[in-house]
Amino acid sequence: MVEDSVDRVIAQWARARPDIDVSAMGVLGRLSRLTRRFERELQEVFTRHGLHPGEFDLLATLLRADVDGRGLTAGQLADSAMVTSGAITNRLDRLLAKDLITREADPRSRRTIRVALTPRGREVVDAALRDHVANEERLLSAMTAAQRGHLEGLLRALLHDSENRD
């Protein structure tokens, strides 16, 4: 078995406090360290495309969820992207300034604002998406398809429990 930095931390705890079961640190410590490392590597891809991760998230949401081409409301974006409306507004302002989205009143309801990709926005998000998916594949390349499927199932169960605990 290979040893990683978390194994060394757990071994130190076993010597310092053998009376405490720190086995949960094995899972959460690895998740935390991997998350930080992966976020940095994901950010590099977005930066190459002139985007922040939150901006990519909104552009990708528009690409996958705007099925009729009419755009999405800020509320629909917030629901799909799982962020607050305040965060949505700031991101939309930046994307509008970059000419990646349009923000216009809905012709059926003047109080509703619809957000849609511009042609340039579609080009940027398509290119970023291709590079992002390739990068994710690279980050998981140490695992077989079966291992990835097993890990995905385990993480799904953990996330489901966490999301439904409230």
Side-chain angles (χ1 to χ4, degrees), residues 129-146:
L129 178 64
R130 281 190 298 277
D131 290 349
H132 175 60
V133 170
N135 191 37
E136 287 183 324
E137 287 292 333
R138 180 187 63 79
L139 291 170
L140 297 178
S141 65
M143 301 177 78
T144 66

PDB file of all heavy atoms in Angstrom, residues 129-146:
ATOM      1  N   LEU A 129     -15.236  24.386 -21.439  1.00  0.00           N
ATOM      2  CA  LEU A 129     -15.834  23.106 -21.049  1.00  0.00           C
ATOM      3  C   LEU A 129     -14.996  21.935 -21.556  1.00  0.00           C
ATOM      4  O   LEU A 129     -14.728  20.988 -20.817  1.00  0.00           O
ATOM      5  CB  LEU A 129     -17.269  23.008 -21.568  1.00  0.00           C
ATOM      6  CG  LEU A 129     -17.994  21.706 -21.266  1.00  0.00           C
ATOM      7  CD1 LEU A 129     -18.174  21.510 -19.760  1.00  0.00           C
ATOM      8  CD2 LEU A 129     -19.346  21.683 -21.976  1.00  0.00           C
ATOM      9  N   ARG A 130     -14.568  21.995 -22.816  1.00  0.00           N
ATOM     10  CA  ARG A 130     -13.732  20.914 -23.361  1.00  0.00           C
ATOM     11  C   ARG A 130     -12.456  20.763 -22.528  1.00  0.00           C
ATOM     12  O   ARG A 130     -12.073  19.650 -22.152  1.00  0.00           O
ATOM     13  CB  ARG A 130     -13.387  21.187 -24.825  1.00  0.00           C
ATOM     14  CG  ARG A 130     -14.501  20.843 -25.797  1.00  0.00           C
ATOM     15  CD  ARG A 130     -14.029  20.890 -27.238  1.00  0.00           C
ATOM     16  NE  ARG A 130     -13.570  22.211 -27.650  1.00  0.00           N
ATOM     17  CZ  ARG A 130     -14.364  23.197 -28.065  1.00  0.00           C
ATOM     18  NH1 ARG A 130     -15.666  22.997 -28.131  1.00  0.00           N
ATOM     19  NH2 ARG A 130     -13.868  24.352 -28.414  1.00  0.00           N
ATOM     20  N   ASP A 131     -11.787  21.869 -22.239  1.00  0.00           N
ATOM     21  CA  ASP A 131     -10.549  21.818 -21.460  1.00  0.00           C
ATOM     22  C   ASP A 131     -10.812  21.387 -20.025  1.00  0.00           C
ATOM     23  O   ASP A 131     -10.016  20.656 -19.433  1.00  0.00           O
ATOM     24  CB  ASP A 131      -9.858  23.179 -21.468  1.00  0.00           C
ATOM     25  CG  ASP A 131      -9.277  23.524 -22.837  1.00  0.00           C
ATOM     26  OD1 ASP A 131      -9.220  22.632 -23.710  1.00  0.00           O
ATOM     27  OD2 ASP A 131      -8.878  24.688 -23.024  1.00  0.00           O
ATOM     28  N   HIS A 132     -11.926  21.829 -19.458  1.00  0.00           N
ATOM     29  CA  HIS A 132     -12.285  21.483 -18.084  1.00  0.00           C
ATOM     30  C   HIS A 132     -12.523  19.977 -17.940  1.00  0.00           C
ATOM     31  O   HIS A 132     -12.000  19.343 -17.023  1.00  0.00           O
ATOM     32  CB  HIS A 132     -13.533  22.268 -17.667  1.00  0.00           C
ATOM     33  CG  HIS A 132     -14.083  21.921 -16.330  1.00  0.00           C
ATOM     34  ND1 HIS A 132     -13.369  22.057 -15.172  1.00  0.00           N
ATOM     35  CD2 HIS A 132     -15.296  21.425 -15.976  1.00  0.00           C
ATOM     36  CE1 HIS A 132     -14.112  21.663 -14.138  1.00  0.00           C
ATOM     37  NE2 HIS A 132     -15.284  21.273 -14.610  1.00  0.00           N
ATOM     38  N   VAL A 133     -13.281  19.401 -18.854  1.00  0.00           N
ATOM     39  CA  VAL A 133     -13.570  17.967 -18.795  1.00  0.00           C
ATOM     40  C   VAL A 133     -12.288  17.160 -19.000  1.00  0.00           C
ATOM     41  O   VAL A 133     -12.045  16.171 -18.297  1.00  0.00           O
ATOM     42  CB  VAL A 133     -14.673  17.582 -19.817  1.00  0.00           C
ATOM     43  CG1 VAL A 133     -14.814  16.081 -19.944  1.00  0.00           C
ATOM     44  CG2 VAL A 133     -16.004  18.212 -19.395  1.00  0.00           C
ATOM     45  N   ALA A 134     -11.445  17.584 -19.924  1.00  0.00           N
ATOM     46  CA  ALA A 134     -10.164  16.893 -20.132  1.00  0.00           C
ATOM     47  C   ALA A 134      -9.300  16.974 -18.874  1.00  0.00           C
ATOM     48  O   ALA A 134      -8.639  16.000 -18.493  1.00  0.00           O
ATOM     49  CB  ALA A 134      -9.427  17.495 -21.329  1.00  0.00           C
ATOM     50  N   ASN A 135      -9.321  18.114 -18.221  1.00  0.00           N
ATOM     51  CA  ASN A 135      -8.559  18.295 -16.981  1.00  0.00           C
ATOM     52  C   ASN A 135      -9.106  17.400 -15.875  1.00  0.00           C
ATOM     53  O   ASN A 135      -8.347  16.768 -15.136  1.00  0.00           O
ATOM     54  CB  ASN A 135      -8.584  19.768 -16.561  1.00  0.00           C
ATOM     55  CG  ASN A 135      -7.615  20.083 -15.460  1.00  0.00           C
ATOM     56  OD1 ASN A 135      -6.511  19.548 -15.398  1.00  0.00           O
ATOM     57  ND2 ASN A 135      -8.022  20.976 -14.575  1.00  0.00           N
ATOM     58  N   GLU A 136     -10.433  17.317 -15.749  1.00  0.00           N
ATOM     59  CA  GLU A 136     -11.028  16.432 -14.749  1.00  0.00           C
ATOM     60  C   GLU A 136     -10.640  14.977 -15.015  1.00  0.00           C
ATOM     61  O   GLU A 136     -10.332  14.232 -14.074  1.00  0.00           O
ATOM     62  CB  GLU A 136     -12.554  16.587 -14.739  1.00  0.00           C
ATOM     63  CG  GLU A 136     -13.019  17.886 -14.131  1.00  0.00           C
ATOM     64  CD  GLU A 136     -14.534  17.984 -14.073  1.00  0.00           C
ATOM     65  OE1 GLU A 136     -15.216  17.495 -14.997  1.00  0.00           O
ATOM     66  OE2 GLU A 136     -15.035  18.568 -13.104  1.00  0.00           O
ATOM     67  N   GLU A 137     -10.646  14.581 -16.273  1.00  0.00           N
ATOM     68  CA  GLU A 137     -10.226  13.217 -16.622  1.00  0.00           C
ATOM     69  C   GLU A 137      -8.774  12.993 -16.200  1.00  0.00           C
ATOM     70  O   GLU A 137      -8.431  11.951 -15.656  1.00  0.00           O
ATOM     71  CB  GLU A 137     -10.392  12.957 -18.124  1.00  0.00           C
ATOM     72  CG  GLU A 137     -11.818  12.800 -18.569  1.00  0.00           C
ATOM     73  CD  GLU A 137     -12.480  11.540 -18.036  1.00  0.00           C
ATOM     74  OE1 GLU A 137     -11.779  10.539 -17.750  1.00  0.00           O
ATOM     75  OE2 GLU A 137     -13.715  11.552 -17.895  1.00  0.00           O
ATOM     76  N   ARG A 138      -7.921  13.979 -16.451  1.00  0.00           N
ATOM     77  CA  ARG A 138      -6.512  13.875 -16.070  1.00  0.00           C
ATOM     78  C   ARG A 138      -6.367  13.742 -14.555  1.00  0.00           C
ATOM     79  O   ARG A 138      -5.590  12.922 -14.062  1.00  0.00           O
ATOM     80  CB  ARG A 138      -5.737  15.104 -16.558  1.00  0.00           C
ATOM     81  CG  ARG A 138      -4.245  15.084 -16.207  1.00  0.00           C
ATOM     82  CD  ARG A 138      -3.578  16.396 -16.565  1.00  0.00           C
ATOM     83  NE  ARG A 138      -4.109  17.527 -15.829  1.00  0.00           N
ATOM     84  CZ  ARG A 138      -3.784  17.825 -14.565  1.00  0.00           C
ATOM     85  NH1 ARG A 138      -2.959  17.062 -13.880  1.00  0.00           N
ATOM     86  NH2 ARG A 138      -4.306  18.894 -13.977  1.00  0.00           N
ATOM     87  N   LEU A 139      -7.146  14.529 -13.810  1.00  0.00           N
ATOM     88  CA  LEU A 139      -7.058  14.498 -12.356  1.00  0.00           C
ATOM     89  C   LEU A 139      -7.483  13.146 -11.778  1.00  0.00           C
ATOM     90  O   LEU A 139      -7.019  12.755 -10.705  1.00  0.00           O
ATOM     91  CB  LEU A 139      -7.901  15.620 -11.745  1.00  0.00           C
ATOM     92  CG  LEU A 139      -7.377  17.035 -11.987  1.00  0.00           C
ATOM     93  CD1 LEU A 139      -8.403  18.075 -11.547  1.00  0.00           C
ATOM     94  CD2 LEU A 139      -6.042  17.261 -11.300  1.00  0.00           C
ATOM     95  N   LEU A 140      -8.345  12.434 -12.477  1.00  0.00           N
ATOM     96  CA  LEU A 140      -8.827  11.138 -11.996  1.00  0.00           C
ATOM     97  C   LEU A 140      -8.167   9.958 -12.707  1.00  0.00           C
ATOM     98  O   LEU A 140      -8.561   8.808 -12.506  1.00  0.00           O
ATOM     99  CB  LEU A 140     -10.349  11.051 -12.160  1.00  0.00           C
ATOM    100  CG  LEU A 140     -11.152  12.065 -11.351  1.00  0.00           C
ATOM    101  CD1 LEU A 140     -12.639  11.903 -11.638  1.00  0.00           C
ATOM    102  CD2 LEU A 140     -10.871  11.928  -9.865  1.00  0.00           C
ATOM    103  N   SER A 141      -7.149  10.217 -13.487  1.00  0.00           N
ATOM    104  CA  SER A 141      -6.554   9.169 -14.321  1.00  0.00           C
ATOM    105  C   SER A 141      -5.871   8.059 -13.525  1.00  0.00           C
ATOM    106  O   SER A 141      -5.631   6.980 -14.073  1.00  0.00           O
ATOM    107  CB  SER A 141      -5.564   9.783 -15.316  1.00  0.00           C
ATOM    108  OG  SER A 141      -4.461  10.367 -14.621  1.00  0.00           O
ATOM    109  N   ALA A 142      -5.576   8.270 -12.268  1.00  0.00           N
ATOM    110  CA  ALA A 142      -4.953   7.215 -11.451  1.00  0.00           C
ATOM    111  C   ALA A 142      -5.952   6.112 -11.091  1.00  0.00           C
ATOM    112  O   ALA A 142      -5.549   5.061 -10.603  1.00  0.00           O
ATOM    113  CB  ALA A 142      -4.366   7.819 -10.171  1.00  0.00           C
ATOM    114  N   MET A 143      -7.224   6.354 -11.348  1.00  0.00           N
ATOM    115  CA  MET A 143      -8.263   5.391 -10.968  1.00  0.00           C
ATOM    116  C   MET A 143      -8.824   4.690 -12.194  1.00  0.00           C
ATOM    117  O   MET A 143      -8.960   5.293 -13.260  1.00  0.00           O
ATOM    118  CB  MET A 143      -9.404   6.124 -10.238  1.00  0.00           C
ATOM    119  CG  MET A 143      -8.967   6.859  -8.993  1.00  0.00           C
ATOM    120  SD  MET A 143     -10.349   7.752  -8.239  1.00  0.00           S
ATOM    121  CE  MET A 143     -11.136   6.374  -7.438  1.00  0.00           C
ATOM    122  N   THR A 144      -9.197   3.424 -12.010  1.00  0.00           N
ATOM    123  CA  THR A 144      -9.893   2.700 -13.071  1.00  0.00           C
ATOM    124  C   THR A 144     -11.346   3.177 -13.123  1.00  0.00           C
ATOM    125  O   THR A 144     -11.828   3.831 -12.183  1.00  0.00           O
ATOM    126  CB  THR A 144      -9.881   1.177 -12.800  1.00  0.00           C
ATOM    127  OG1 THR A 144     -10.671   0.917 -11.619  1.00  0.00           O
ATOM    128  CG2 THR A 144      -8.463   0.644 -12.619  1.00  0.00           C
ATOM    129  N   ALA A 145     -12.029   2.803 -14.181  1.00  0.00           N
ATOM    130  CA  ALA A 145     -13.451   3.164 -14.293  1.00  0.00           C
ATOM    131  C   ALA A 145     -14.247   2.567 -13.141  1.00  0.00           C
ATOM    132  O   ALA A 145     -15.142   3.222 -12.585  1.00  0.00           O
ATOM    133  CB  ALA A 145     -14.009   2.705 -15.638  1.00  0.00           C
ATOM    134  N   ALA A 146     -13.921   1.353 -12.756  1.00  0.00           N
ATOM    135  CA  ALA A 146     -14.638   0.707 -11.642  1.00  0.00           C
ATOM    136  C   ALA A 146     -14.375   1.441 -10.329  1.00  0.00           C
ATOM    137  O   ALA A 146     -15.297   1.635  -9.539  1.00  0.00           O
ATOM    138  CB  ALA A 146     -14.227  -0.758 -11.529  1.00  0.00           C
TER     139      ALA A 146
END
